[in-house]
Structures are given as C-alpha cells and as structure tokens.
Amino acid sequence: MKGPLLSIENLHAGYGDADVLHGVSLDVSHREIIGIVGPNGAGKSTVLNAVMNLLQVRGGDIRFRGNSLLREPTERMMAIGISYVPQVSNVFPSLSVYENLIVGALEGTDLKSRIDEILQLFPVLRPRFRMRSGALSGGERQMLAFARGLMCNPSLLLLDEPSAALSPVLAYSVFQKIREIHETGTTMIVVEQNVRRVLQMCHRGYVLDSGKNALTGTGMELLENPQMGQLYMGGSFRESR
Ligand SMILES: Nc1ncnc2c1ncn2[C@@H]1O[C@H](COP(=O)(O)OP(=O)(O)OP(=O)(O)O)[C@@H](O)[C@H]1O
Ligand SMILES: [Mg+2]
C-alpha cells in the first residue's frame, strides 16, 4: 500500500471549549509500532480519543488508508479496521472472559475459529475462559483487554498505557506480548509512561508536550537525545531504566 496507514495532520482538538491539542501531526506506516510518550497531561490519550472520534476535532485531519476519519462514528471503527484498548475500563468485569471476547468480534465472524486463534496467542486465558473477568488478576485482565481488542483482527491497534499499574515482571510480559502481536502483522500505536521500554521496542516515537509535537525519531534516536532528559526534568525518563 502506498502512503501511511494512518496520518494525523495539524490536529486541533479538546474538551468543551478548551483545546488540548494545538497542531499535532504524526503518521503510522503499515506494520510499524509507534510509541507516543510525553509528560502527564501532554495530550497522549487525547490523540487516541480523537482517532476514535470520541471528541470534537476543531482543525486538521485524521486519515486512515487515505480517507478522513472525522465523520466516521466510533461504532464503525472496528469494522474499518481500528481497535482501541483504553487504559481503564478495558474489559467488562461482570462478563466472562468468553463473553468479553465475543463483544470484540465483528458480526459474521466465525467465532469458534477466531477464539481458538486468540487463545493460542493468550494461553493464560484458556483455563479462565468461563470466569468472570472481574475476578482476573491485573495482568490477566490486561491480556484479556488485548485479546478483546484483537478479536476483530484490526489493521491498527491503539494501546493506551498497557503496562500501567502492573508490576515490573507483568509489565515485561505485556511488552513481550506487544512484540508477539506485532509479529502477527498488526500495526500499533502504543502510548506509554514507561518511556524507556516503549522506545526500546517501537520503530519510531513521538514525544508530545503541552499538546504539541516536541521530538520525533526512531526509538534509539530518542533514547539517545539529550533533550529527552530535559523534557522529563529528570523524572520518569531517567528513573525508568
Ligand atoms: N474528559 C476530559 N474533559 C476535560 N479535560 C480533559 C478530559 N480528558 C483530559 N482532559 C485534559 O486534557 C489534557 C490532556 O489530557 P490527556 O489525558 O490527553 O493527557 P495524557 O498525555 O494522556 O496524560 P497522562 O500521561 O496523565 O495519561 C489534560 O490537561 C487533561 O486535564
Ligand atoms: Mg493518558
């Protein structure tokens, strides 16, 4: 395919009357893992919400396979090929693992074979298949959130802080799983607080600050860029080695 899978051009968007994003641009090519990092409140989640058309875009454009997404309702995104795993409330706790997976499927899917494929990627869910998801551990719940997000076999998967609130060991397994998901051919945008980890894994990264692009480059370039330390004021960037 020619051109990027997703391109965001000069995006202005926010909540109520206030803009949070003041001209953010980024693009994602087929089969890339793109990292988005930046200080708290920089607008990272807002970028994902804008792609999903969960808020009012006031300027700029978001294109997927060359077509503007601005008029696509959120409910159509899965069918278009975009799936979103938000940071919180990413599974239905009162539903079983099985029921959560079904919620993530597109109409007309051969459920038995898709669930089989998904359970091969997430074997930890197999013995918990009939369990209420509210009873899962934090790490298991995150795996279920990924699995649900992948049920519709998306071209683009958006992950918001997948390793947040997990122990270092579980966070490591989440990053491993992201690599495995990438190997199945899925393109991803990963928003992360765990700056080092995500920059070590992604092909390219974008650093946002106060609703604007601050730095961009390959993960390695950003890791070695002295401006990164300044942006984070010696905070999470240096400490998350
Ligand atoms: N639903 C909302 N209504 C009003 N303002 C919001 C809403 N969600 C976020 N904001 C504001 O928008 C700005 C950007 O928020 P956003 O959640 O995109 O930041 P973030 O980079 O994801 O931060 P974090 O690292 O803390 O998750 C913040 O100032 C925040 O207070
Ligand atoms: Mg956020």
Side-chain angles (χ1 to χ4, degrees):
M1 196 191 84
K2 282 201 191 119
L5 181 64
L6 181 86
S7 67
I8 296 180
E9 295 154 19
N10 195 23
L11 186 66
H12 292 256
Y15 308 89
D17 290 336
D19 272 357
V20 167
L21 304 179
H22 311 283
V24 169
S25 298
L26 65 85
D27 56 60
V28 184
S29 296
H30 256 282
R31 302 206 63 151
E32 268 190 315
I33 303 177
I34 293 294
I36 302 182
V37 300
N40 292 119
K44 305 178 297 292
S45 299
T46 303
V47 169
L48 301 187
N49 289 336
V51 173
M52 295 303 289
N53 211 347
L54 288 164
L55 49 83
Q56 185 68 40
V57 169
R58 276 187 276 268
D61 202 359
I62 304 173
R63 287 179 210 276
F64 183 66
R65 300 186 192 283
N67 302 314
S68 178
L69 284 182
L70 298 188
R71 289 185 200 285
E72 291 292 353
T74 306
E75 315 80 75
R76 285 240 326 134
M77 295 300 174
M78 252 166 59
I80 290 173
I82 304 176
S83 191
Y84 180 29
V85 181
Q87 181 184 339
V88 289
S89 312
N90 54 21
V91 301
F92 296 98
S94 61
L95 301 184
S96 69
V97 167
Y98 167 69
E99 288 162 337
N100 266 282
L101 292 179
I102 287 185
V103 171
L106 287 169
E107 220 172 297
T109 302
D110 177 349
L111 284 174
K112 193 174 173 309
S113 72
R114 186 63 189 150
I115 286 176
D116 236 37
E117 286 167 7
I118 289 291
L119 289 180
Q120 276 172 31
L121 196 55
F122 300 94
V124 69
L125 298 178
R126 206 179 276 278
R128 292 162 178 77
F129 200 53
R130 301 280 167 192
M131 202 191 255
R132 214 173 56 85
S133 355
L136 297 175
S137 72
E140 292 162 353
R141 195 153 49 224
Q142 193 57 44
M143 291 301 161
L144 174 59
F146 283 8
R148 183 197 53 74
L150 286 169
M151 273 297 288
C152 64
N153 199 11
S155 309
L156 177 65
L157 182 65
L158 312 176
L159 300 174
D160 196 356
E161 312 240 357
S163 80
L166 296 180
S167 68
V169 172
L170 287 174
Y172 178 79
S173 65
V174 160
F175 284 102
Q176 283 298 110
K177 199 51 78 176
I178 291 172
R179 285 180 213 271
E180 281 178 45
I181 294 169
H182 176 252
E183 280 163 20
T184 69
T186 311
T187 305
M188 276 178 272
I189 300 181
V190 185
V191 168
E192 257 300 333
Q193 297 277 356
N194 202 330
V195 178
R196 263 178 202 286
R197 275 272 166 75
V198 75
L199 292 182
Q200 281 161 357
M201 181 186 67
C202 68
H203 299 103
R204 290 185 305 114
Y206 290 85
V207 184
L208 300 188
D209 187 29
S210 307
K212 295 191 179 124
N213 290 70
L215 299 169
T216 183
T218 64
M220 273 304 142
E221 283 166 354
L222 290 174
L223 280 169
E224 286 164 7
N225 188 330
Q227 284 174 280
M228 286 293 289
Q230 286 161 19
L231 255 180
Y232 282 90
M233 306 278 286
S236 59
F237 182 63
R238 284 191 200 150
E239 284 161 17
S240 63
R241 274 162 202 272

